[in-house]
PDB file of all heavy atoms in Angstrom:
ATOM      1  N   LEU U  21     108.175  91.013 108.207  1.00 97.00           N
ATOM      2  CA  LEU U  21     108.974  90.198 109.023  1.00 97.00           C
ATOM      3  C   LEU U  21     108.466  88.833 109.283  1.00 97.00           C
ATOM      4  O   LEU U  21     109.129  87.801 109.432  1.00 97.00           O
ATOM      5  CB  LEU U  21     109.492  90.840 110.238  1.00 97.00           C
ATOM      6  CG  LEU U  21     110.428  92.008 110.122  1.00 97.00           C
ATOM      7  CD1 LEU U  21     110.641  92.851 111.382  1.00 97.00           C
ATOM      8  CD2 LEU U  21     111.781  91.465 109.603  1.00 97.00           C
ATOM      9  N   CYS U  24     109.310  86.804 106.445  1.00 97.00           N
ATOM     10  CA  CYS U  24     110.825  86.450 106.407  1.00 97.00           C
ATOM     11  C   CYS U  24     110.998  85.247 107.440  1.00 97.00           C
ATOM     12  O   CYS U  24     111.906  84.467 107.195  1.00 97.00           O
ATOM     13  CB  CYS U  24     111.657  87.664 106.890  1.00 97.00           C
ATOM     14  SG  CYS U  24     111.601  88.917 105.782  1.00 97.00           S
ATOM     15  N   ARG U  25     110.180  85.225 108.546  1.00 98.00           N
ATOM     16  CA  ARG U  25     110.307  84.230 109.565  1.00 98.00           C
ATOM     17  C   ARG U  25     109.499  82.906 109.410  1.00 98.00           C
ATOM     18  O   ARG U  25     109.605  82.024 110.222  1.00 98.00           O
ATOM     19  CB  ARG U  25     109.939  84.798 110.974  1.00 98.00           C
ATOM     20  CG  ARG U  25     111.010  85.604 111.431  1.00 98.00           C
ATOM     21  CD  ARG U  25     110.854  85.881 113.037  1.00 98.00           C
ATOM     22  NE  ARG U  25     110.987  87.312 113.180  1.00 98.00           N
ATOM     23  CZ  ARG U  25     109.965  88.073 113.530  1.00 98.00           C
ATOM     24  NH1 ARG U  25     108.677  87.624 113.615  1.00 98.00           N
ATOM     25  NH2 ARG U  25     110.140  89.395 113.649  1.00 98.00           N
ATOM     26  N   THR U  26     108.759  82.837 108.322  1.00 98.00           N
ATOM     27  CA  THR U  26     107.884  81.705 108.025  1.00 98.00           C
ATOM     28  C   THR U  26     108.424  81.081 106.631  1.00 98.00           C
ATOM     29  O   THR U  26     108.158  81.602 105.639  1.00 98.00           O
ATOM     30  CB  THR U  26     106.442  82.051 107.884  1.00 98.00           C
ATOM     31  OG1 THR U  26     106.066  82.996 109.020  1.00 98.00           O
ATOM     32  CG2 THR U  26     105.468  80.825 107.862  1.00 98.00           C
ATOM     33  N   PRO U  27     109.142  79.934 106.843  1.00 98.00           N
ATOM     34  CA  PRO U  27     109.704  79.395 105.593  1.00 98.00           C
ATOM     35  C   PRO U  27     108.652  79.194 104.373  1.00 98.00           C
ATOM     36  O   PRO U  27     109.033  79.491 103.288  1.00 98.00           O
ATOM     37  CB  PRO U  27     110.339  78.074 105.988  1.00 98.00           C
ATOM     38  CG  PRO U  27     110.618  78.303 107.526  1.00 98.00           C
ATOM     39  CD  PRO U  27     109.527  79.287 108.004  1.00 98.00           C
ATOM     40  N   ALA U  30     108.140  82.676 102.924  1.00 97.00           N
ATOM     41  CA  ALA U  30     109.470  83.108 102.213  1.00 97.00           C
ATOM     42  C   ALA U  30     109.661  82.397 100.892  1.00 97.00           C
ATOM     43  O   ALA U  30     110.009  83.037  99.919  1.00 97.00           O
ATOM     44  CB  ALA U  30     110.634  82.995 103.149  1.00 97.00           C
ATOM     45  N   LEU U  48     116.729  85.219  97.281  1.00 97.00           N
ATOM     46  CA  LEU U  48     116.053  84.732  98.540  1.00 97.00           C
ATOM     47  C   LEU U  48     115.192  85.883  99.092  1.00 97.00           C
ATOM     48  O   LEU U  48     115.589  87.106  99.237  1.00 97.00           O
ATOM     49  CB  LEU U  48     116.989  84.380  99.557  1.00 97.00           C
ATOM     50  CG  LEU U  48     116.565  84.107 101.042  1.00 97.00           C
ATOM     51  CD1 LEU U  48     115.808  82.874 100.987  1.00 97.00           C
ATOM     52  CD2 LEU U  48     117.683  84.075 101.966  1.00 97.00           C
ATOM     53  N   SER U  50     113.983  87.834 101.969  1.00 97.00           N
ATOM     54  CA  SER U  50     114.354  88.130 103.342  1.00 97.00           C
ATOM     55  C   SER U  50     114.629  89.581 103.332  1.00 97.00           C
ATOM     56  O   SER U  50     114.129  90.282 102.505  1.00 97.00           O
ATOM     57  CB  SER U  50     115.595  87.275 103.720  1.00 97.00           C
ATOM     58  OG  SER U  50     115.749  87.478 105.136  1.00 97.00           O
ATOM     59  N   ASP U  51     115.354  90.008 104.403  1.00 96.00           N
ATOM     60  CA  ASP U  51     115.780  91.521 104.428  1.00 96.00           C
ATOM     61  C   ASP U  51     117.214  91.472 105.119  1.00 96.00           C
ATOM     62  O   ASP U  51     117.449  90.661 105.960  1.00 96.00           O
ATOM     63  CB  ASP U  51     114.803  92.374 105.120  1.00 96.00           C
ATOM     64  CG  ASP U  51     115.185  93.793 104.799  1.00 96.00           C
ATOM     65  OD1 ASP U  51     114.731  94.287 103.729  1.00 96.00           O
ATOM     66  OD2 ASP U  51     115.926  94.418 105.565  1.00 96.00           O
ATOM     67  N   ILE U  52     117.972  92.477 104.818  1.00 97.00           N
ATOM     68  CA  ILE U  52     119.292  92.569 105.469  1.00 97.00           C
ATOM     69  C   ILE U  52     119.145  92.720 106.961  1.00 97.00           C
ATOM     70  O   ILE U  52     120.148  92.397 107.638  1.00 97.00           O
ATOM     71  CB  ILE U  52     120.070  93.723 104.885  1.00 97.00           C
ATOM     72  CG1 ILE U  52     119.433  95.062 105.068  1.00 97.00           C
ATOM     73  CG2 ILE U  52     120.389  93.503 103.416  1.00 97.00           C
ATOM     74  CD1 ILE U  52     120.394  96.251 104.744  1.00 97.00           C
ATOM     75  N   VAL U  53     118.088  93.170 107.530  1.00 98.00           N
ATOM     76  CA  VAL U  53     117.986  93.342 108.911  1.00 98.00           C
ATOM     77  C   VAL U  53     117.551  92.046 109.741  1.00 98.00           C
ATOM     78  O   VAL U  53     117.622  92.052 110.973  1.00 98.00           O
ATOM     79  CB  VAL U  53     117.123  94.606 109.443  1.00 98.00           C
ATOM     80  CG1 VAL U  53     117.684  95.854 108.976  1.00 98.00           C
ATOM     81  CG2 VAL U  53     115.640  94.323 108.926  1.00 98.00           C
ATOM     82  N   VAL U  54     117.127  90.978 109.021  1.00 98.00           N
ATOM     83  CA  VAL U  54     116.624  89.809 109.685  1.00 98.00           C
ATOM     84  C   VAL U  54     117.799  89.102 110.646  1.00 98.00           C
ATOM     85  O   VAL U  54     117.453  88.956 111.768  1.00 98.00           O
ATOM     86  CB  VAL U  54     116.220  88.743 108.545  1.00 98.00           C
ATOM     87  CG1 VAL U  54     116.028  87.375 109.197  1.00 98.00           C
ATOM     88  CG2 VAL U  54     114.947  89.348 107.978  1.00 98.00           C
ATOM     89  N   PRO U  55     119.033  89.126 110.228  1.00 98.00           N
ATOM     90  CA  PRO U  55     120.007  88.503 111.197  1.00 98.00           C
ATOM     91  C   PRO U  55     120.217  89.506 112.379  1.00 98.00           C
ATOM     92  O   PRO U  55     120.610  89.034 113.452  1.00 98.00           O
ATOM     93  CB  PRO U  55     121.358  88.362 110.404  1.00 98.00           C
ATOM     94  CG  PRO U  55     121.148  89.201 109.101  1.00 98.00           C
ATOM     95  CD  PRO U  55     119.652  89.217 108.833  1.00 98.00           C
ATOM     96  N   LEU U  56     119.969  90.749 112.216  1.00 98.00           N
ATOM     97  CA  LEU U  56     120.189  91.645 113.376  1.00 98.00           C
ATOM     98  C   LEU U  56     119.227  91.387 114.434  1.00 98.00           C
ATOM     99  O   LEU U  56     119.584  91.455 115.699  1.00 98.00           O
ATOM    100  CB  LEU U  56     119.967  93.169 112.900  1.00 98.00           C
ATOM    101  CG  LEU U  56     121.028  93.692 111.902  1.00 98.00           C
ATOM    102  CD1 LEU U  56     120.705  95.185 111.468  1.00 98.00           C
ATOM    103  CD2 LEU U  56     122.438  93.554 112.434  1.00 98.00           C
ATOM    104  N   GLN U  57     118.006  91.061 114.147  1.00 97.00           N
ATOM    105  CA  GLN U  57     117.090  90.634 115.160  1.00 97.00           C
ATOM    106  C   GLN U  57     117.564  89.526 115.978  1.00 97.00           C
ATOM    107  O   GLN U  57     117.536  89.437 117.259  1.00 97.00           O
ATOM    108  CB  GLN U  57     115.714  90.173 114.508  1.00 97.00           C
ATOM    109  CG  GLN U  57     114.778  91.259 114.254  1.00 97.00           C
ATOM    110  CD  GLN U  57     113.401  90.620 114.056  1.00 97.00           C
ATOM    111  OE1 GLN U  57     113.186  89.616 113.416  1.00 97.00           O
ATOM    112  NE2 GLN U  57     112.396  91.368 114.461  1.00 97.00           N
ATOM    113  N   ALA U  58     118.272  88.537 115.249  1.00 97.00           N
ATOM    114  CA  ALA U  58     118.785  87.261 115.928  1.00 97.00           C
ATOM    115  C   ALA U  58     120.011  87.748 116.870  1.00 97.00           C
ATOM    116  O   ALA U  58     120.404  86.989 117.609  1.00 97.00           O
ATOM    117  CB  ALA U  58     119.107  86.211 115.000  1.00 97.00           C
ATOM    118  N   MET U  59     120.595  88.971 116.682  1.00 98.00           N
ATOM    119  CA  MET U  59     121.678  89.471 117.467  1.00 98.00           C
ATOM    120  C   MET U  59     121.194  90.249 118.597  1.00 98.00           C
ATOM    121  O   MET U  59     121.914  90.986 119.227  1.00 98.00           O
ATOM    122  CB  MET U  59     122.615  90.170 116.589  1.00 98.00           C
ATOM    123  CG  MET U  59     123.282  89.325 115.397  1.00 98.00           C
ATOM    124  SD  MET U  59     124.348  90.226 114.289  1.00 98.00           S
ATOM    125  CE  MET U  59     125.708  90.677 115.235  1.00 98.00           C
ATOM    126  N   GLY U  60     119.861  90.214 118.776  1.00 97.00           N
ATOM    127  CA  GLY U  60     119.176  90.913 119.841  1.00 97.00           C
ATOM    128  C   GLY U  60     118.804  92.422 119.701  1.00 97.00           C
ATOM    129  O   GLY U  60     118.514  93.173 120.600  1.00 97.00           O
ATOM    130  N   PRO U  88     126.505  87.437 119.379  1.00 98.00           N
ATOM    131  CA  PRO U  88     127.019  86.821 118.198  1.00 98.00           C
ATOM    132  C   PRO U  88     126.009  86.026 117.502  1.00 98.00           C
ATOM    133  O   PRO U  88     125.011  85.603 118.083  1.00 98.00           O
ATOM    134  CB  PRO U  88     128.118  85.875 118.797  1.00 98.00           C
ATOM    135  CG  PRO U  88     128.294  86.089 120.168  1.00 98.00           C
ATOM    136  CD  PRO U  88     127.006  86.854 120.701  1.00 98.00           C
ATOM    137  N   LEU U  89     126.079  85.874 116.129  1.00 98.00           N
ATOM    138  CA  LEU U  89     125.117  85.141 115.370  1.00 98.00           C
ATOM    139  C   LEU U  89     125.449  83.643 115.193  1.00 98.00           C
ATOM    140  O   LEU U  89     126.561  83.463 114.637  1.00 98.00           O
ATOM    141  CB  LEU U  89     124.903  85.824 114.007  1.00 98.00           C
ATOM    142  CG  LEU U  89     123.813  85.129 113.219  1.00 98.00           C
ATOM    143  CD1 LEU U  89     122.400  85.402 113.721  1.00 98.00           C
ATOM    144  CD2 LEU U  89     123.866  85.617 111.724  1.00 98.00           C
ATOM    145  N   VAL U  90     124.643  82.788 115.647  1.00 98.00           N
ATOM    146  CA  VAL U  90     124.826  81.393 115.321  1.00 98.00           C
ATOM    147  C   VAL U  90     123.625  81.080 114.449  1.00 98.00           C
ATOM    148  O   VAL U  90     122.525  80.812 114.928  1.00 98.00           O
ATOM    149  CB  VAL U  90     124.841  80.483 116.502  1.00 98.00           C
ATOM    150  CG1 VAL U  90     125.052  79.023 116.288  1.00 98.00           C
ATOM    151  CG2 VAL U  90     125.837  81.010 117.630  1.00 98.00           C
ATOM    152  N   PRO U  91     123.818  80.932 113.089  1.00 98.00           N
ATOM    153  CA  PRO U  91     122.788  80.830 112.208  1.00 98.00           C
ATOM    154  C   PRO U  91     121.732  79.863 112.443  1.00 98.00           C
ATOM    155  O   PRO U  91     120.555  80.077 112.333  1.00 98.00           O
ATOM    156  CB  PRO U  91     123.453  80.737 110.773  1.00 98.00           C
ATOM    157  CG  PRO U  91     124.821  81.305 111.007  1.00 98.00           C
ATOM    158  CD  PRO U  91     125.162  81.092 112.437  1.00 98.00           C
ATOM    159  N   GLU U  92     122.142  78.575 112.727  1.00 98.00           N
ATOM    160  CA  GLU U  92     121.247  77.401 112.913  1.00 98.00           C
ATOM    161  C   GLU U  92     120.346  77.700 114.119  1.00 98.00           C
ATOM    162  O   GLU U  92     119.206  77.333 114.119  1.00 98.00           O
ATOM    163  CB  GLU U  92     121.921  76.191 113.150  1.00 98.00           C
ATOM    164  CG  GLU U  92     122.569  75.546 111.845  1.00 98.00           C
ATOM    165  CD  GLU U  92     121.578  75.115 110.847  1.00 98.00           C
ATOM    166  OE1 GLU U  92     120.265  75.064 111.289  1.00 98.00           O
ATOM    167  OE2 GLU U  92     121.851  74.736 109.706  1.00 98.00           O
ATOM    168  N   GLU U  93     120.865  78.523 115.130  1.00 98.00           N
ATOM    169  CA  GLU U  93     119.980  78.819 116.327  1.00 98.00           C
ATOM    170  C   GLU U  93     119.246  80.180 116.124  1.00 98.00           C
ATOM    171  O   GLU U  93     118.096  80.209 116.573  1.00 98.00           O
ATOM    172  CB  GLU U  93     120.943  78.892 117.542  1.00 98.00           C
ATOM    173  CG  GLU U  93     121.446  77.667 117.988  1.00 98.00           C
ATOM    174  CD  GLU U  93     122.596  77.706 118.972  1.00 98.00           C
ATOM    175  OE1 GLU U  93     122.704  78.876 119.576  1.00 98.00           O
ATOM    176  OE2 GLU U  93     123.425  76.809 119.129  1.00 98.00           O
ATOM    177  N   GLY U  94     119.898  81.147 115.488  1.00 98.00           N
ATOM    178  CA  GLY U  94     119.270  82.411 115.435  1.00 98.00           C
ATOM    179  C   GLY U  94     118.281  82.693 114.341  1.00 98.00           C
ATOM    180  O   GLY U  94     117.393  83.369 114.446  1.00 98.00           O
ATOM    181  N   VAL U  95     118.613  82.055 113.211  1.00 98.00           N
ATOM    182  CA  VAL U  95     117.944  82.284 111.986  1.00 98.00           C
ATOM    183  C   VAL U  95     117.581  80.921 111.226  1.00 98.00           C
ATOM    184  O   VAL U  95     117.670  80.753 110.011  1.00 98.00           O
ATOM    185  CB  VAL U  95     118.542  83.306 110.979  1.00 98.00           C
ATOM    186  CG1 VAL U  95     118.363  84.672 111.466  1.00 98.00           C
ATOM    187  CG2 VAL U  95     119.982  82.858 110.712  1.00 98.00           C
ATOM    188  N   PRO U  96     116.940  79.940 112.050  1.00 98.00           N
ATOM    189  CA  PRO U  96     116.810  78.642 111.418  1.00 98.00           C
ATOM    190  C   PRO U  96     115.802  78.716 110.206  1.00 98.00           C
ATOM    191  O   PRO U  96     115.925  77.972 109.292  1.00 98.00           O
ATOM    192  CB  PRO U  96     116.284  77.688 112.590  1.00 98.00           C
ATOM    193  CG  PRO U  96     115.736  78.765 113.581  1.00 98.00           C
ATOM    194  CD  PRO U  96     116.636  80.009 113.502  1.00 98.00           C
ATOM    195  N   TYR U  97     114.810  79.682 110.435  1.00 98.00           N
ATOM    196  CA  TYR U  97     113.775  79.754 109.370  1.00 98.00           C
ATOM    197  C   TYR U  97     114.377  80.208 108.044  1.00 98.00           C
ATOM    198  O   TYR U  97     113.866  79.699 107.048  1.00 98.00           O
ATOM    199  CB  TYR U  97     112.659  80.737 109.901  1.00 98.00           C
ATOM    200  CG  TYR U  97     113.206  81.921 110.631  1.00 98.00           C
ATOM    201  CD1 TYR U  97     113.730  83.049 110.015  1.00 98.00           C
ATOM    202  CD2 TYR U  97     113.300  81.939 112.020  1.00 98.00           C
ATOM    203  CE1 TYR U  97     114.140  84.118 110.616  1.00 98.00           C
ATOM    204  CE2 TYR U  97     113.740  83.008 112.699  1.00 98.00           C
ATOM    205  CZ  TYR U  97     114.222  84.143 112.009  1.00 98.00           C
ATOM    206  OH  TYR U  97     114.771  85.153 112.731  1.00 98.00           O
ATOM    207  N   VAL U  98     115.399  80.997 108.001  1.00 98.00           N
ATOM    208  CA  VAL U  98     116.041  81.459 106.811  1.00 98.00           C
ATOM    209  C   VAL U  98     116.652  80.158 106.142  1.00 98.00           C
ATOM    210  O   VAL U  98     116.517  79.952 104.877  1.00 98.00           O
ATOM    211  CB  VAL U  98     117.075  82.483 106.990  1.00 98.00           C
ATOM    212  CG1 VAL U  98     117.844  82.828 105.646  1.00 98.00           C
ATOM    213  CG2 VAL U  98     116.452  83.768 107.547  1.00 98.00           C
ATOM    214  N   LEU U  99     117.347  79.418 106.859  1.00 98.00           N
ATOM    215  CA  LEU U  99     118.114  78.273 106.362  1.00 98.00           C
ATOM    216  C   LEU U  99     117.130  77.215 105.888  1.00 98.00           C
ATOM    217  O   LEU U  99     117.454  76.542 104.922  1.00 98.00           O
ATOM    218  CB  LEU U  99     119.136  77.675 107.392  1.00 98.00           C
ATOM    219  CG  LEU U  99     120.060  78.687 107.905  1.00 98.00           C
ATOM    220  CD1 LEU U  99     121.003  78.044 108.926  1.00 98.00           C
ATOM    221  CD2 LEU U  99     120.844  79.429 106.745  1.00 98.00           C
ATOM    222  N   GLU U 100     115.984  77.109 106.607  1.00 98.00           N
ATOM    223  CA  GLU U 100     114.986  76.197 106.147  1.00 98.00           C
ATOM    224  C   GLU U 100     114.321  76.601 104.824  1.00 98.00           C
ATOM    225  O   GLU U 100     114.195  75.719 103.852  1.00 98.00           O
ATOM    226  CB  GLU U 100     113.826  76.092 107.268  1.00 98.00           C
ATOM    227  CG  GLU U 100     113.030  74.902 107.091  1.00 98.00           C
ATOM    228  CD  GLU U 100     111.896  74.765 108.146  1.00 98.00           C
ATOM    229  OE1 GLU U 100     112.261  74.999 109.373  1.00 98.00           O
ATOM    230  OE2 GLU U 100     110.773  74.560 107.875  1.00 98.00           O
ATOM    231  N   ALA U 101     114.177  77.899 104.632  1.00 98.00           N
ATOM    232  CA  ALA U 101     113.615  78.419 103.399  1.00 98.00           C
ATOM    233  C   ALA U 101     114.735  78.156 102.234  1.00 98.00           C
ATOM    234  O   ALA U 101     114.334  77.747 101.175  1.00 98.00           O
ATOM    235  CB  ALA U 101     113.366  79.946 103.490  1.00 98.00           C
ATOM    236  N   VAL U 102     115.962  78.282 102.642  1.00 98.00           N
ATOM    237  CA  VAL U 102     117.026  78.143 101.576  1.00 98.00           C
ATOM    238  C   VAL U 102     117.052  76.631 101.106  1.00 98.00           C
ATOM    239  O   VAL U 102     117.049  76.266  99.912  1.00 98.00           O
ATOM    240  CB  VAL U 102     118.314  78.632 102.021  1.00 98.00           C
ATOM    241  CG1 VAL U 102     119.506  78.153 101.112  1.00 98.00           C
ATOM    242  CG2 VAL U 102     118.518  80.135 102.215  1.00 98.00           C
ATOM    243  N   ARG U 103     116.961  75.851 102.171  1.00 98.00           N
ATOM    244  CA  ARG U 103     116.961  74.401 101.777  1.00 98.00           C
ATOM    245  C   ARG U 103     115.798  73.970 100.902  1.00 98.00           C
ATOM    246  O   ARG U 103     115.945  73.258  99.841  1.00 98.00           O
ATOM    247  CB  ARG U 103     117.031  73.506 102.998  1.00 98.00           C
ATOM    248  CG  ARG U 103     118.431  73.434 103.667  1.00 98.00           C
ATOM    249  CD  ARG U 103     118.385  72.382 104.797  1.00 98.00           C
ATOM    250  NE  ARG U 103     117.747  72.951 105.996  1.00 98.00           N
ATOM    251  CZ  ARG U 103     118.457  73.573 106.910  1.00 98.00           C
ATOM    252  NH1 ARG U 103     119.643  73.667 106.887  1.00 98.00           N
ATOM    253  NH2 ARG U 103     117.802  73.953 108.038  1.00 98.00           N
ATOM    254  N   PHE U 116     121.879  86.218 100.339  1.00 98.00           N
ATOM    255  CA  PHE U 116     122.418  87.618 100.527  1.00 98.00           C
ATOM    256  C   PHE U 116     122.556  88.005 101.997  1.00 98.00           C
ATOM    257  O   PHE U 116     122.011  87.314 102.918  1.00 98.00           O
ATOM    258  CB  PHE U 116     121.531  88.627  99.824  1.00 98.00           C
ATOM    259  CG  PHE U 116     120.234  88.961 100.389  1.00 98.00           C
ATOM    260  CD1 PHE U 116     120.118  89.998 101.391  1.00 98.00           C
ATOM    261  CD2 PHE U 116     119.138  88.243 100.056  1.00 98.00           C
ATOM    262  CE1 PHE U 116     118.927  90.185 101.914  1.00 98.00           C
ATOM    263  CE2 PHE U 116     117.923  88.524 100.641  1.00 98.00           C
ATOM    264  CZ  PHE U 116     117.859  89.479 101.607  1.00 98.00           C
ATOM    265  N   ALA U 117     123.295  89.041 102.142  1.00 98.00           N
ATOM    266  CA  ALA U 117     123.401  89.747 103.457  1.00 98.00           C
ATOM    267  C   ALA U 117     123.722  91.211 103.260  1.00 98.00           C
ATOM    268  O   ALA U 117     124.228  91.512 102.193  1.00 98.00           O
ATOM    269  CB  ALA U 117     124.546  89.095 104.331  1.00 98.00           C
ATOM    270  N   ALA U 160     129.126  88.079 112.028  1.00 98.00           N
ATOM    271  CA  ALA U 160     127.901  87.569 111.839  1.00 98.00           C
ATOM    272  C   ALA U 160     127.614  87.401 110.373  1.00 98.00           C
ATOM    273  O   ALA U 160     126.890  86.254 110.000  1.00 98.00           O
ATOM    274  CB  ALA U 160     126.873  88.600 112.516  1.00 98.00           C
ATOM    275  N   VAL U 161     127.969  88.260 109.520  1.00 98.00           N
ATOM    276  CA  VAL U 161     127.701  88.122 108.126  1.00 98.00           C
ATOM    277  C   VAL U 161     128.297  87.007 107.488  1.00 98.00           C
ATOM    278  O   VAL U 161     127.742  86.273 106.679  1.00 98.00           O
ATOM    279  CB  VAL U 161     127.964  89.451 107.430  1.00 98.00           C
ATOM    280  CG1 VAL U 161     128.028  89.319 105.956  1.00 98.00           C
ATOM    281  CG2 VAL U 161     127.176  90.605 107.721  1.00 98.00           C
ATOM    282  N   ALA U 163     129.343  84.256 109.020  1.00 98.00           N
ATOM    283  CA  ALA U 163     128.704  82.938 109.448  1.00 98.00           C
ATOM    284  C   ALA U 163     127.340  82.788 108.750  1.00 98.00           C
ATOM    285  O   ALA U 163     127.001  81.719 108.239  1.00 98.00           O
ATOM    286  CB  ALA U 163     128.476  83.035 110.970  1.00 98.00           C
ATOM    287  N   TYR U 164     126.616  83.844 108.564  1.00 98.00           N
ATOM    288  CA  TYR U 164     125.236  83.878 107.936  1.00 98.00           C
ATOM    289  C   TYR U 164     125.367  83.494 106.390  1.00 98.00           C
ATOM    290  O   TYR U 164     124.614  82.562 106.010  1.00 98.00           O
ATOM    291  CB  TYR U 164     124.645  85.340 108.043  1.00 98.00           C
ATOM    292  CG  TYR U 164     123.275  85.397 107.613  1.00 98.00           C
ATOM    293  CD1 TYR U 164     122.293  84.544 107.985  1.00 98.00           C
ATOM    294  CD2 TYR U 164     122.890  86.418 106.808  1.00 98.00           C
ATOM    295  CE1 TYR U 164     120.974  84.656 107.663  1.00 98.00           C
ATOM    296  CE2 TYR U 164     121.588  86.613 106.418  1.00 98.00           C
ATOM    297  CZ  TYR U 164     120.598  85.835 106.793  1.00 98.00           C
ATOM    298  OH  TYR U 164     119.351  85.922 106.420  1.00 98.00           O
ATOM    299  N   LEU U 165     126.269  84.017 105.638  1.00 98.00           N
ATOM    300  CA  LEU U 165     126.411  83.696 104.324  1.00 98.00           C
ATOM    301  C   LEU U 165     126.941  82.328 104.055  1.00 98.00           C
ATOM    302  O   LEU U 165     126.523  81.620 103.288  1.00 98.00           O
ATOM    303  CB  LEU U 165     127.359  84.700 103.596  1.00 98.00           C
ATOM    304  CG  LEU U 165     126.789  86.124 103.383  1.00 98.00           C
ATOM    305  CD1 LEU U 165     127.849  87.010 102.781  1.00 98.00           C
ATOM    306  CD2 LEU U 165     125.569  86.076 102.507  1.00 98.00           C
ATOM    307  N   ARG U 166     127.841  81.896 104.933  1.00 98.00           N
ATOM    308  CA  ARG U 166     128.376  80.502 104.925  1.00 98.00           C
ATOM    309  C   ARG U 166     127.171  79.491 105.101  1.00 98.00           C
ATOM    310  O   ARG U 166     127.139  78.498 104.369  1.00 98.00           O
ATOM    311  CB  ARG U 166     129.410  80.241 105.882  1.00 98.00           C
ATOM    312  CG  ARG U 166     130.791  80.865 105.464  1.00 98.00           C
ATOM    313  CD  ARG U 166     131.913  80.325 106.457  1.00 98.00           C
ATOM    314  NE  ARG U 166     132.317  78.937 106.071  1.00 98.00           N
ATOM    315  CZ  ARG U 166     133.139  78.544 105.125  1.00 98.00           C
ATOM    316  NH1 ARG U 166     133.810  79.421 104.516  1.00 98.00           N
ATOM    317  NH2 ARG U 166     133.398  77.290 104.974  1.00 98.00           N
ATOM    318  N   ALA U 167     126.464  79.787 106.056  1.00 98.00           N
ATOM    319  CA  ALA U 167     125.311  78.942 106.387  1.00 98.00           C
ATOM    320  C   ALA U 167     124.268  78.832 105.158  1.00 98.00           C
ATOM    321  O   ALA U 167     123.636  77.805 104.910  1.00 98.00           O
ATOM    322  CB  ALA U 167     124.487  79.373 107.633  1.00 98.00           C
ATOM    323  N   GLN U 168     124.138  79.999 104.480  1.00 98.00           N
ATOM    324  CA  GLN U 168     123.254  79.996 103.454  1.00 98.00           C
ATOM    325  C   GLN U 168     123.728  79.101 102.255  1.00 98.00           C
ATOM    326  O   GLN U 168     122.936  78.415 101.619  1.00 98.00           O
ATOM    327  CB  GLN U 168     122.971  81.493 102.803  1.00 98.00           C
ATOM    328  CG  GLN U 168     122.136  82.228 103.898  1.00 98.00           C
ATOM    329  CD  GLN U 168     121.869  83.675 103.320  1.00 98.00           C
ATOM    330  OE1 GLN U 168     121.535  83.888 102.125  1.00 98.00           O
ATOM    331  NE2 GLN U 168     122.077  84.763 104.120  1.00 98.00           N
ATOM    332  N   ALA U 171     123.412  75.616 103.118  1.00 98.00           N
ATOM    333  CA  ALA U 171     121.976  75.136 103.023  1.00 98.00           C
ATOM    334  C   ALA U 171     121.494  75.024 101.462  1.00 98.00           C
ATOM    335  O   ALA U 171     120.393  74.730 101.217  1.00 98.00           O
ATOM    336  CB  ALA U 171     121.078  76.082 103.759  1.00 98.00           C
TER     337      ALA U 171
END
Side-chain angles (χ1 to χ4, degrees):
L21 286 171
C24 297
R25 279 196 232 109
T26 313
L48 172 69
S50 185
D51 194 85
I52 58 168
V53 295
V54 166
L56 296 180
Q57 269 199 323
M59 297 172 75
L89 180 73
V90 181
E92 286 291 353
E93 289 166 19
V95 284
Y97 38 84
V98 173
L99 303 181
E100 201 178 310
V102 170
R103 279 189 285 268
F116 73 90
V161 168
Y164 186 48
L165 288 175
R166 287 193 69 89
Q168 290 181 49

